[in-house]
Amino acid sequence: MAELKIVEAVRDALDLSMQKDPNVILLGEDIGPLGGVFRATQGLQEKYGKDRVVDTPLSEGGILGAAVGLAANGMRPVAEIQFSGFIWPGFDHLINHAARMRTRSQGRFTCPMVVRFPAGGGIHALEHHSESMEGAFAHTPGLKVVYPGGPYEAKGLLLAAIEDPDTVIFMEPERHYRAIKEEVPAEYYTLPIGKAVVEKAGNDVTVISYGSMLWDTKKALNNYLMHKNVDVELINLRTISPLDTETVVNSVKKTGRCLIVTEEPRSFGVAAELMAVIQEEALLSLEAPVVRVTGYDTIMPYLETEMFYIPTEERIIAGLEKVLNY
Amino acid sequence: MEITEILVDQNGFPAEMFQVLDPEGNVVHQNLLDLVSKEQLVDFYKWMVKIRIADRRAINLQRTGQMGTYPSVYGQEACQVGSGLGLEKEDWLVPTFRETGTMWCFGVPLYQTLLYWMGNETGSKMPEDVNCLPIAITVGGHLPHAMGIAWANKRQNKPGAVLCSFGDGATSEGDFHAALNFAGQIQTANVFFCQNNGFAISTPRSIQTAAKSIAQKAFAYGVKAIQVDGNDVVAVYLAVKQALKEAKENLTPVLIEAVTYRLGDHTTVDNSKLYRADDEVTEMQRREPIARLKKYIEATGLWDEAKEAQLLEECKKGVDEIAEKALTHAKLDPKNMFTMMYAEMTPALQKQHDEFLKQ
């Protein structure tokens, strides 16, 4: 089996989906000859032509609005937004149109489109290139939000997203695009949207993360567990919305303790939703209050100080010890 | 041709692209050239050279790991100098991200711009006496802000016009159209200054719009337009001056399309060889702005090799000092991310701030 980086697994999924379904069309800025600024679409325009891998004029509103129309009329658009912070001029089309097309037309029209973009910070990029705003999308009824961690799941989940009958926001871990390599099957396969995975089973404490922070969390745990004897259960959410509450609740019922690690701003986010679900369904199993280690309720700082925003190994371990020693 | 004729409405368009000096340094309109003094011509030249040297230094800082991603202004020095020096102190500049030279000409210290690209928020804090918004990284979103600033000027009877700079790519964003439409309808003193440098990262101007020119987009909004040779610093300067005059005196917004060429990469993380031919760049190199003016000022005895050597030495020394100032500037205290969020920290933020300091 070939070892692929995340960005290569994304490209592989796009390639296979275009082979399989002639209605799949890619649209975005600089995705043609350049292959996207992260090269996720490299070689695809050469292979499938300018009509299927389309360099659009520079307009996120145009890209996402056109994708709504394409999807409503039988196509399977996969839109690339160059960086997370550039999506907002097109947010109207997601929140007011893509998310509502099925409901508004009472099923007459639907919006099976995928919106891909890199998310998270840590690559010393410019302003608006490093945000983790999954909570804003997950808070929009009608959207699905997928945020894979590694190459294997990026490929399987992206293929599932393209097949999905509704709009899927597909976030890609920017700082791990080329940092993580995994064995990825060459063939077409999908992984279920809405299903978390238990990366490692354990009995003492449940640790939940996803996307970019999954790797920081794993690293922190690996270093910690070299010296400490704690039986950690690690859950990788893979999908933010719909949330796999079953996997989360079963785990917390077993361990009685839970740490959540995310990069998003702290308040009103994914971590907050997980804490609410745990409180609703596993309160009596809890041995300690659930702890969340997150980004802050601040603007992502410029590159000189961005590392102070992203949860560090020290903060993750402090959170773990807080929940263990309560 | 008279200076007033460069400004056209839909009845007069398309006109020829406005030019004062051709690429060989020949005079196209002597009467218009006479509108600038000999001292100004030399000043334009010095600024363009200074900006090119600063730009190279900035690229070098990035290449040596001392600065983050940087968008070069190489090839666009005439646009930068013509617009930056065309503004008056009372005016506003609402800049996009490729404006190292424009901002410097307008009074933003260069070390601050370098500091910005080094990733220090202090770089975005403009001096109190310079009406310049922080650099806009997102494309096109700042155009309606420029309109709003001009509207506030109008409401409060404040003097000055607002020059908003952007690239050809930005004209595809909805905000471009909203801004021009508002400005045309509400009649504000706005100059929308488009540096059409041929590319939005890899996307050529031909993919950006099927319209023949960007300038003509103005007419749909009742806005006047000028299309100018963006590599002719005299023409750019005169166009900007005329547009500012029109905006201030008649409250008529103006869209300027300055046709130039991005000789460098989009940014230091781009490789333009992947999407454009070397031949094209070589051809455009021939039309670059500095050589053009140099030919003219040398031919007219305003400039010689001795002056050139002295200028280069002064610029290098000056830019080195400025770079050093940025490099040795105090790092930003990371607690700034909390304290700068609101006039007063919210309770949740205060708690996060306190926990952050304890770590």
Side-chain angles (χ1 to χ4, degrees):
Chain A
M1 221 184 294
E3 283 208 331
L4 297 186
K5 295 169 185 163
I6 293 171
V7 70
E8 294 165 339
V10 166
R11 189 188 310 142
D12 192 24
L14 293 171
D15 191 356
L16 290 175
S17 73
M18 296 192 83
Q19 263 178 48
K20 184 168 182 257
D21 182 353
N23 286 326
V24 171
I25 179 172
L26 310 189
L27 64 166
E29 294 156 8
D30 306 292
I31 67 169
L34 188 65
V37 294
F38 287 101
R39 310 291 183 262
T41 56
Q42 196 166 45
L44 296 181
Q45 190 181 64
E46 220 165 278
K47 192 167 175 184
Y48 296 101
K50 287 182 176 173
D51 295 337
R52 290 191 72 197
V53 180
V54 185
D55 265 341
T56 64
L58 203 172
S59 170
E60 296 75 18
I63 291 167
L64 297 178
V68 168
L70 285 161
N73 192 17
M75 300 291 289
R76 290 275 168 169
V78 182
E80 175 175 301
I81 297 295
Q82 205 157 62
F83 286 96
S84 56
F86 299 172
I87 200 166
W88 306 112
F91 197 45
D92 173 50
H93 296 291
L94 296 176
I95 198 164
N96 284 332
H97 304 288
R100 292 170 180 242
M101 186 62 83
R102 181 184 297 278
T103 314
R104 287 180 63 230
S105 70
Q106 288 296 293
R108 170 69 176 83
F109 299 109
T110 58
C111 216
M113 61 188 253
V114 176
V115 185
R116 304 175 34 245
F117 57 89
I123 62 162
H124 276 208
L126 302 170
E127 290 180 274
H128 316 284
H129 287 55
S130 306
E131 284 69 25
S132 299
M133 300 302 285
E134 55 269 29
F137 299 104
H139 200 65
T140 302
L143 300 180
K144 293 181 179 178
V145 184
V146 176
Y147 194 172
Y152 168 75
E153 61 199 56
K155 178 175 172 180
L157 286 165
L158 182 52
L159 286 168
I162 296 169
E163 280 185 12
D164 198 275
D166 290 296
T167 301
V168 179
I169 306 299
F170 194 85
M171 300 173 66
E172 297 168 4
E174 181 173 290
R175 70 175 170 277
H176 296 102
Y177 256 150
R178 291 170 194 283
I180 305 290
K181 254 186 160 183
E182 265 176 10
E183 289 201 334
V184 176
E187 67 268 18
Y188 188 106
Y189 66 95
T190 60
L191 293 170
I193 290 175
K195 197 78 197 108
V197 62
V198 178
E199 297 255 343
K200 180 198 162 296
N203 289 305
D204 295 345
V205 57
T206 300
V207 177
I208 306 173
S209 194
Y210 55 85
S212 265
M213 279 319 293
L214 179 70
W215 303 104
D216 305 69
T217 305
K218 278 187 175 180
K219 184 166 170 258
L221 291 177
N222 285 343
N223 290 340
Y224 186 74
L225 296 176
M226 277 197 281
H227 312 288
K228 304 275 182 176
N229 187 22
V230 182
D231 193 14
V232 172
E233 175 145 313
L234 177 64
I235 294 178
N236 168 6
L237 280 186
R238 286 186 176 172
T239 300
I240 308 297
S241 175
L243 193 60
D244 182 359
T245 53
E246 191 186 343
T247 300
V248 169
V249 168
N250 286 346
S251 175
V252 176
K253 277 185 176 168
K254 179 174 68 174
T255 62
R257 296 174 195 273
C258 182
L259 168 72
I260 302 161
V261 186
T262 69
E263 193 172 322
E264 52 166 2
R266 184 178 183 82
S267 302
F268 313 104
V270 178
E273 176 61 20
L274 283 163
M275 293 167 95
V277 166
I278 291 166
Q279 185 276 141
E280 283 168 350
E281 300 192 27
L283 177 68
L284 298 181
S285 307
L286 286 178
E287 304 283 344
V290 179
V291 172
R292 55 180 159 165
V293 174
T294 65
Y296 298 110
D297 293 339
T298 67
I299 305 299
M300 181 75 172
Y302 292 3
L303 64 96
E304 188 185 278
T305 43
E306 69 173 336
M307 66 285 204
F308 291 105
Y309 174 93
I310 301 169
T312 56
E313 183 165 340
E314 291 70 32
R315 284 179 64 204
I316 295 168
I317 295 309
L320 184 69
E321 292 196 323
K322 188 174 173 190
V323 77
L324 285 171
N325 300 333
Y326 180 76
Chain B
M1 186 183 189
E2 293 304 316
I3 186 67
T4 47
E5 291 172 41
I6 66 171
L7 199 73
V8 292
D9 62 16
Q10 54 264 53
N11 300 320
F13 212 79
E16 275 176 39
M17 187 165 71
F18 171 50
Q19 206 176 50
V20 176
L21 287 176
D22 76 8
E24 308 310 323
N26 301 314
V27 181
V28 180
H29 296 293
Q30 185 65 51
N31 62 322
L32 301 185
L33 184 61
D34 291 342
L35 294 173
V36 296
S37 68
K38 292 183 168 56
E39 292 72 28
Q40 276 181 302
L41 287 178
V42 171
D43 195 39
F44 291 166
Y45 181 74
K46 285 182 174 175
W47 265 109
M48 289 200 292
V49 170
K50 198 160 98 165
I51 289 165
R52 185 164 293 178
I53 288 171
D55 193 62
R56 281 194 195 134
R57 187 80 172 90
I59 293 170
N60 178 264
L61 285 171
Q62 190 278 338
R63 296 281 185 244
T64 51
Q66 299 174 92
M67 198 166 86
T69 306
Y70 172 75
S72 168
V73 302
Y74 178 34
Q76 297 177 221
E77 293 87 353
C79 286
Q80 309 256 317
V81 171
S83 60
L85 294 185
L87 288 162
E88 305 287 337
K89 195 82 190 164
E90 65 182 16
D91 296 326
W92 282 70
L93 175 63
V94 182
T96 181
F97 52 80
R98 199 183 306 285
E99 299 294 353
T100 301
T102 317
M103 289 164 67
W104 198 9
C105 288
F106 187 51
V108 177
L110 178 66
Y111 88 90
Q112 280 201 229
T113 304
L114 295 178
L115 209 53
Y116 172 85
W117 298 111
M118 287 171 180
N120 184 323
E121 277 82 344
T122 316
S124 288
K125 189 179 181 184
M126 301 302 166
E128 286 295 335
D129 62 340
V130 180
N131 297 327
C132 181
L133 281 200
I135 287 166
I137 292 290
T138 58
V139 173
H142 59 307
L143 273 75
H145 311 160
M147 184 274 155
I149 289 169
W151 194 359
N153 271 350
K154 185 180 176 181
R155 294 288 311 150
Q156 299 170 101
N157 292 316
K158 288 182 183 170
V162 182
L163 185 135
C164 179
S165 62
F166 51 96
D168 39 314
T171 65
S172 296
E173 293 279 9
D175 284 334
F176 166 84
H177 303 273
L180 265 71
N181 194 37
F182 269 55
Q185 201 280 326
I186 293 169
Q187 296 196 299
T188 48
N190 278 108
V191 175
F192 297 102
F193 184 69
C194 177
Q195 292 179 50
N196 169 6
N197 68 9
F199 291 91
I201 307 190
S202 74
T203 307
R205 153 66 183 81
S206 58
I207 286 184
Q208 217 50 252
T209 174
K212 195 170 151 193
S213 75
I214 284 168
Q216 74 190 61
K217 289 174 186 266
F219 306 142
Y221 305 110
V223 169
K224 289 192 177 180
I226 301 171
Q227 193 188 45
V228 61
D229 182 339
N231 285 5
D232 176 354
V233 66
V234 181
V236 175
Y237 176 79
L238 291 176
V240 166
K241 276 285 180 208
Q242 192 65 17
L244 288 168
K245 185 171 183 292
E246 175 76 8
K248 286 185 216 184
E249 289 178 4
N250 301 327
L251 285 176
T252 303
V254 179
L255 170 64
I256 299 175
E257 178 187 4
V259 181
T260 179
Y261 191 84
R262 196 192 76 207
L263 286 171
D265 295 328
H266 166 66
T267 65
T268 47
V269 292
D270 178 39
N271 175 9
S272 57
K273 286 188 186 308
L274 294 174
Y275 52 80
R276 64 181 183 187
D278 287 345
D279 290 355
E280 178 186 315
V281 182
T282 309
E283 169 59 21
M284 289 301 178
Q285 203 99 36
R286 213 178 55 74
R287 302 188 200 180
E288 66 93 12
I290 296 183
R292 177 185 312 205
L293 183 58
K294 191 179 181 194
K295 277 178 202 159
Y296 177 78
I297 55 175
E298 277 182 344
T300 48
L302 294 170
W303 199 250
D304 57 36
E305 281 314 309
K307 285 179 179 164
E308 178 79 8
Q310 193 194 344
L311 174 67
L312 292 180
E313 186 164 332
E314 278 170 16
C315 288
K316 203 188 155 298
K317 188 164 169 287
V319 166
D320 278 347
E321 282 170 15
I322 291 166
E324 192 57 26
K325 184 171 178 185
L327 286 167
T328 54
H329 192 278
K331 300 278 180 229
L332 189 77
D333 186 337
K335 78 174 184 214
N336 176 281
M337 74 169 133
F338 300 98
T339 55
M340 270 296 154
M341 285 304 299
Y342 299 97
E344 240 182 279
M345 266 193 272
T346 61
L349 204 53
Q350 182 73 54
K351 200 174 157 199
Q352 291 169 34
H353 167 266
D354 296 348
E355 278 169 13
F356 177 80
L357 289 190
K358 263 189 259 159
Q359 284 165 35

